[in-house]
Amino acid sequence: MNSVDPFDLSKALDGAAKAHLDPTVSKFELRAEYGPSGDQESAIEKTLSQLRNSQSRCVMLGVTGSGKTFAMANIIESLNIPTLILSHNKTLSRQLWQEMSSLFPNNAVEYFVSHYDYYQPEAYLPKRDLYIEKELSLNERIEQERFSTVASLVSRPDVLVVATVSAIYGLNPPETFLQQHARIHVGQQVEPHDVVKELVALQYRRVTGEISRGELRLRGEVLDLWMPSRDDPLRIQFDLDGIIRIQVCESVSWEAVDEVEEVWVHPKEFFMTSPERFERALDDIEFELQERLDFFEKEGRDLEAHRLESKTRYDLDMLKEIGHCRSVENYSMHFDGRTYGERPYCLLDFFSACAKTFHGSKEKFLVIMDESHVTLPQLGGMYHGDKARKDNLIEHGFRLPSAADNRPLKDHEFQSLVHQLLYVSATPGERELRQLCECTGQNMPEQDPKEKRKPLLKDALGEIQGISRMEIRPTGLLDPSIEVRPTEGQVQNLLDEINDCTQRNERVLVTVMTIKFAEEVADYLQRMGIKAHYLHSEIDTLERSEIIKALRIGHIDVVVGINLLREGLDIPEVSLVAIFDADKEGFLRNERSLLQTIGRASRNENGKVILYADSMGRAMESAISQTIERRQKQLAHNETHGIIPKTIVKPLPVMGIEAEQLLAGTAGKGVTGGKRFVGGSSSQSTKSRANDLVKKFNLGAGLWGDDVLSNLSQPDSEEFDSDVNEDLVLIDRLKKEMIQAAERLEFEKAAQLRDRIFQLENSTSN
């Protein structure tokens, strides 16, 4: 391991305003127009008491619509320590991030998920003698948010990160990140030449004339910098006291288009390490290769030896020549300086570094696991799936044994790194309940020897003490009414129900068992004149969020999904949930899954659930009985307090605004709530913006208005002055940009600029 303390963040904080590093100054501030109500207050107080008494594992049970997100926000504000919220899929993570961003507008609320839109890992199938090459599609918009997350964790005390299981995959250690990136911020007391030296060390090339990507230019007290992942260069202005302004500029005219407070500049080449560490890693790879070749030769496995030598020698040649190879992650153990079996660094190490630097102890951070009954098993299963694939590659000579150490955390490694963990769910799983019992000295309810099945959730919850409960909705909304209907003619029967809902301007969620059936049902509904769309794992991350937005706005009336419709989706416009094959017990139709799916209709006063089934299973019976019990409990509360149930009213989202903010290259929050500029390639992003969501996914049966389409693909007209003379100047500038975009082969951007030029020319001629 490195002798340098991986949790030493002193380099990141050089020149920063010391007051802003104090957690009593830069602290979490919850901004909401309402306070805790119902049984939220008691649940929050109980959980805070447990956490302050150093209880390592806590469980908060909150029914759908009881305000679990708001309760989590209150706990975060009260503890005022760095917090990681883990969710089990990207759609729900994005929704949580949006909600937390609005509740903590002046704090660093970050988003950390997998940056792959598509990832086919390298694999070998021995039975078929089939080797599969690695294929991937990077989402560079999400990559810039990952970058922003790490930048916040090493530079400020008030960081809240919403993440998926990507958080347990390997990253460079915090100190390595700091050695490879430069932090430049307004108010920094530094000389221009010192900044230039730091950037040259990151392999940026200094020029005196025209500037292009990967280059910098210093003219007096103005430093121009163009990061290779950006279409928009930076202009940094100095005075006698240091940096006074950082601007994002247009690439042709150098007009300022945005202003930011700080910039984290990544290297010109991403895979950088010290020359000494790099040379040592190459020697270690050579040594390991020779050991493995000797092993194969002794075993008489010449084919495996030949495979391994040819692949590894090729990678070594690439590393020596250009410093990078296609499968460089398989050698991460050597570049990190780890030993066999030693866990990789991950996002949790950055939380430890943040906690140690700003809060005095590397244990002073909190992890909240949302929808823990799904997220916890998912975390535990990541390592085993990765190991099975790597073992085949290593055994048959495609990879060195060290490739196995480029992996996600094992379950016990994750648990050991997290000193305080709050599980949040409407249906806590057996694992989190068992951990609660272990840390509080209780006995976990076990299976009756006479029973062949495990005890039901409702029985376990009745015996375990110390669970914080939120079973009363502040809105007075009831659990939905439930009907069980036969499966014969179920799609036609559902069509009548959908028509009733659309007449009341309400939305519908339909959950099925397979991707194919989801697409078939959505296609049938569209042919029947219903604005329907499917939603499943093969749809791009941010586009899933846009589909949910479209449902809320009314561009779509029905979404047909599989497992994405279960936990956490907050769509108050939905009044009907239909569950096909409700009696087919399994992962998608067990007691907890049914309760979660039923809960999607509990945010609307007309909430209703239809279970299509031909029999009454044990899971169905338990889910229905618990729903009825909660409905009666809420009714009694409403009568006592004179509450009339009313559908939750939430502001409608704006289509495309989230993607536009990402495309602008700003993410996170500055010290005073401003923007942070981070790297992210605009070439791919421009393509994403140009690919119209409506046409690509046939959203809303193609019934979106032209105004929506233009907002998604064209610049806002407010950005431009309508004065005729200035329009002529603007047209000339846009023509230059169009030519430059075409030369860069960014034809979508060039076409957008051409359309804008035509629009301006028509307006000036009129």
Side-chain angles (χ1 to χ4, degrees), residues 332-379:
S332 62
M333 186 194 85
H334 298 295
F335 287 105
D336 289 349
R338 292 183 280 124
T339 58
Y340 288 103
E342 189 174 357
R343 71 164 183 87
Y345 286 98
C346 65
L347 189 66
L348 292 171
D349 291 296
F350 285 87
F351 271 92
S352 294
C354 182
K356 179 180 178 181
T357 301
F358 302 111
H359 299 271
S361 169
K362 66 179 185 179
E363 298 181 1
K364 290 195 71 173
F365 68 92
L366 175 67
V367 175
I368 300 176
M369 191 173 290
D370 191 36
E371 307 297 353
S372 59
H373 62 288
V374 178
T375 311
L376 185 59
Q378 186 184 57
L379 284 172

Side-chain angles (χ1 to χ4, degrees), residues 428 430 433 444-448 451 453-464 585 590-592 595 617-623 625-626:
E430 182 182 348
L433 294 176
M444 179 71 183
E446 298 294 344
Q447 177 180 334
D448 190 324
E451 282 280 345
R453 299 180 179 180
K454 293 181 180 180
L456 290 169
L457 171 65
K458 64 178 182 180
D459 299 328
L461 294 177
E463 297 181 35
I464 299 173
E585 290 198 23
N590 59 35
E591 178 191 17
R592 289 179 171 85
L595 281 169
R618 184 169 178 259
M620 275 181 65
E621 184 178 354
S622 178
S625 65
Q626 289 183 67

